[in-house]
Amino acid sequence: MQLTDLTAVQLLDGYRKGEFSPVEATEQALQRARRIQPEVNAFVRLTEQDALARARESAERWRRGEPAGLLDGVPVTVKDILLLRGHPTLRGSKTVSEQGRWDEDAPSVARLREHGAVFLGKTTTPEFGWKAVTDSPLTGVTRNPYDPSRTAGGSSGGSAAAVALGAGPLSLGTDGGGSIRIPAAFCGIFGLKPTYGRVPLYPASAFGTLSHVGPMTRDAADAALMMDVVAAPDTRDWSALDPPPESFTAGLDQGVRGLRVAYSPTLGGQVAVRPAVAAAVRRAVAGLADLGAYVEETDPDFSEPVDAFHTLWFSGAARLTQSFSPHRRQLLDPGLREICAQGARYSALDYLAAVDVRMDLGRRMGRFHERYDLLVTPTLPITAFEAGEEVPPKSGLRRWTGWTPFTYPFNLTQQPAATVPVGTDGDGLPVGMQIVAARHRDDLVLRAAHALYEEGLTLSEN
């Protein structure tokens, strides 16, 4: 049996029944990680000795019938933006030294550790997670599992490639403008950006309250289980929410019957979507209607807020590198240097004007969700393009935000948003559909996504 093909839920069921052990699952996941690394470059480092030690401890707990928590023995990977105790977190940058104590876990990592998860390693990221593809001066280019000549997306591209190829069913990603949803869509997996504060974040991101932490998984059921672990509060994050009122798995099977779904194929004509992407998303939307949702084609009331997002994002990058010496600055990704220079030119008034745009966008979406439970869009208007490029070649675009218009607005509003794989284009590359709900309604996003998986309307069943 190929344990690398199983979800976390399936692995746990097998442990419970004694069909296989966490050691077997971990060994197979590490073998898969080593095999895929030369082709897709998903990992900064594997933590093999630690993983096998934790797997053996987990196997003994299962033998005694005393699992440590909800994910005991499940192989997990962690984006190299988040702290993992005992291992450097280099954030894709040559400017970060490996020397240091590295004696602290990020909150989400700490919760996974408490629940017995087995850490396979750290996954690749662009430098400081600044862009929507995964390449960096430190680790090179991360490639797409479906076609290694294409990008895996970013900034959680290593996590997406690892999950897609079976190197652990679960990964922790971060999302400041789509960095979970973009690579998940390009790599054909599930990715959830939860409501801001639902998963605590520490150290605080330089990009402020745009940045979220969330699960990248094989399906929605695994994401719900993972959320039950990582959504616990942590005192190191002053903006963390109170504990969720109930388990994210509790209402997962309630389906979409009766939910009011707004389908916006182009955000009111603002986005040019490739025909193959549009067709795959439309089929999935029709599937929601067949399952009993009330679907209406309509658009949220906002114009593209890219200038405001750039002001906030570029200012954060400038602040992050403000103290860098000229030599250290020369080590940065050239594109990152460019946005840092632009961010340094913004004034406090520019920043506050962007905050005003953000607040108005949040108000508009709050009113929108008085009428609709869910908003559905394409996750991206395109499929994966050439690896090593920030934007599709010959597109005329300058920055990654030019091809991600469906994702970053919901970082501004802090709403829960997920991507579900709903098909492929003519080149066999995955297409993602985005599901968005009002703040604090992560449960509805997971319910709708789970319904699509259960009814065979996702990529894995096409």
Side-chain angles (χ1 to χ4, degrees):
M1 177 185 296
Q2 287 297 310
L3 303 184
T4 51
D5 294 335
L6 301 184
T7 66
V9 171
Q10 291 168 333
L11 285 176
L12 291 164
D13 185 56
Y15 300 162
R16 193 173 296 112
K17 294 175 179 176
E19 296 174 346
F20 43 80
S21 78
V23 174
E24 294 171 278
T26 299
E27 287 176 340
Q28 288 194 25
L30 287 169
Q31 289 169 5
R32 181 65 60 88
R34 289 192 294 268
R35 184 171 68 77
I36 68 174
Q37 179 64 8
E39 187 168 36
V40 300
N41 188 31
F43 289 93
V44 179
R45 64 176 44 80
L46 293 173
T47 55
E48 297 189 44
Q49 290 185 346
D50 287 356
L52 289 169
R54 287 185 62 81
R56 287 191 288 269
E57 293 168 358
S58 173
E60 177 58 23
R61 290 191 294 270
W62 280 105
R63 188 191 66 78
R64 298 195 308 264
E66 300 172 352
L70 295 178
L71 294 174
D72 200 353
V74 176
V76 177
T77 57
V78 178
K79 183 181 181 180
D80 200 37
I81 291 288
L82 299 167
L83 296 175
L84 175 64
R85 192 175 74 213
H87 303 280
T89 297
L90 302 181
R91 306 169 78 189
S93 182
K94 291 182 175 180
T95 69
V96 179
S97 172
E98 290 195 20
Q99 304 305 311
R101 295 172 61 182
W102 305 113
D103 58 356
E104 195 170 18
D105 283 329
S108 49
V109 175
R111 302 295 86 77
L112 289 171
R113 190 183 298 278
E114 291 163 4
H115 281 261
V118 173
F119 299 108
L120 299 179
K122 302 298 289 295
T123 57
T124 51
T125 174
E127 196 162 23
F128 301 111
W130 81 271
K131 61 183 176 179
V133 293
T134 300
D135 59 73
S136 76
L138 181 68
T139 58
V141 179
T142 298
R143 300 177 180 276
N144 193 288
Y146 284 77
D147 180 350
S149 73
R150 310 293 182 105
T151 180
S155 62
S156 307
S159 289
V163 171
L165 290 170
L170 308 178
S171 192
L172 275 175
T174 65
D175 190 315
S179 288
I180 285 172
R181 290 159 289 156
I182 293 162
F186 275 179
C187 294
I189 67 167
F190 182 77
L192 171 67
K193 179 189 77 69
T195 299
Y196 179 81
R198 176 50 63 209
V199 179
L201 175 62
Y202 170 86
S205 170
F207 301 109
T209 57
L210 294 171
S211 294
H212 304 56
V213 180
M216 303 179 72
T217 60
R218 303 287 287 273
D219 61 19
D222 269 12
L225 177 61
M226 196 173 179
M227 283 293 290
D228 278 349
V229 172
V230 300
D234 191 290
T235 56
R236 293 172 291 174
D237 183 354
W238 63 269
S239 62
L241 299 175
D242 288 339
E246 63 178 356
S247 166
F248 288 99
T249 63
L252 203 59
D253 294 323
Q254 292 180 9
V256 298
R257 183 168 300 279
L259 293 183
R260 302 163 298 169
V261 177
Y263 167 44
S264 179
T266 62
L267 292 181
Q270 297 181 79
V271 185
V273 179
R274 286 187 185 169
V277 172
V281 173
R282 189 173 290 276
R283 285 194 297 271
V285 171
L288 290 174
D290 290 341
L291 294 174
Y294 298 112
V295 177
E296 178 183 346
E297 187 168 325
T298 188
D299 303 299
D301 175 28
F302 66 79
S303 57
E304 188 176 54
V306 68
D307 291 337
F309 181 83
H310 281 170
T311 300
L312 300 173
W313 193 255
F314 297 175
S315 295
R319 179 72 181 97
L320 175 68
T321 59
Q322 185 178 26
S323 64
F324 282 19
S325 67
H327 169 72
R328 197 175 175 204
R329 195 174 293 272
Q330 283 303 309
L331 298 175
L332 294 173
D333 182 327
L336 177 56
R337 281 203 306 272
E338 288 179 13
I339 72 162
C340 289
Q342 185 172 342
R345 293 192 291 270
Y346 291 126
S347 69
L349 291 178
D350 293 331
Y351 192 93
L352 291 173
V355 171
D356 286 343
V357 171
R358 181 181 194 180
M359 293 172 70
D360 182 63
L361 181 61
R363 177 189 63 82
R364 291 170 184 267
M365 287 309 302
R367 295 295 299 272
F368 183 82
H369 284 290
E370 290 178 349
R371 302 191 303 277
Y372 301 101
D373 299 301
L374 297 171
L375 168 66
V376 171
T377 74
T379 306
L380 296 161
I382 59 175
T383 51
F385 53 88
E386 287 83 344
E389 304 286 345
E390 182 185 344
V391 301
K394 301 180 182 179
S395 65
L397 299 174
R398 176 62 178 157
R399 292 268 82 101
W400 60 269
T401 44
W403 54 271
T404 62
F406 292 110
T407 60
Y408 65 79
F410 304 108
N411 292 81
L412 290 166
T413 62
Q414 302 185 339
Q415 294 170 246
T419 184
V420 181
V422 292
T424 56
D425 68 3
D427 294 322
L429 296 168
V431 172
M433 182 176 78
Q434 181 173 237
I435 305 173
V436 184
R439 291 176 73 240
H440 311 294
R441 292 313 309 267
D442 308 66
D443 60 315
L444 290 182
V445 173
L446 289 164
R447 269 175 56 188
H450 184 63
L452 291 171
Y453 278 99
E454 288 292 284
E455 292 299 321
L457 298 170
T458 57
L459 172 62
S460 61
E461 301 292 342
N462 285 344

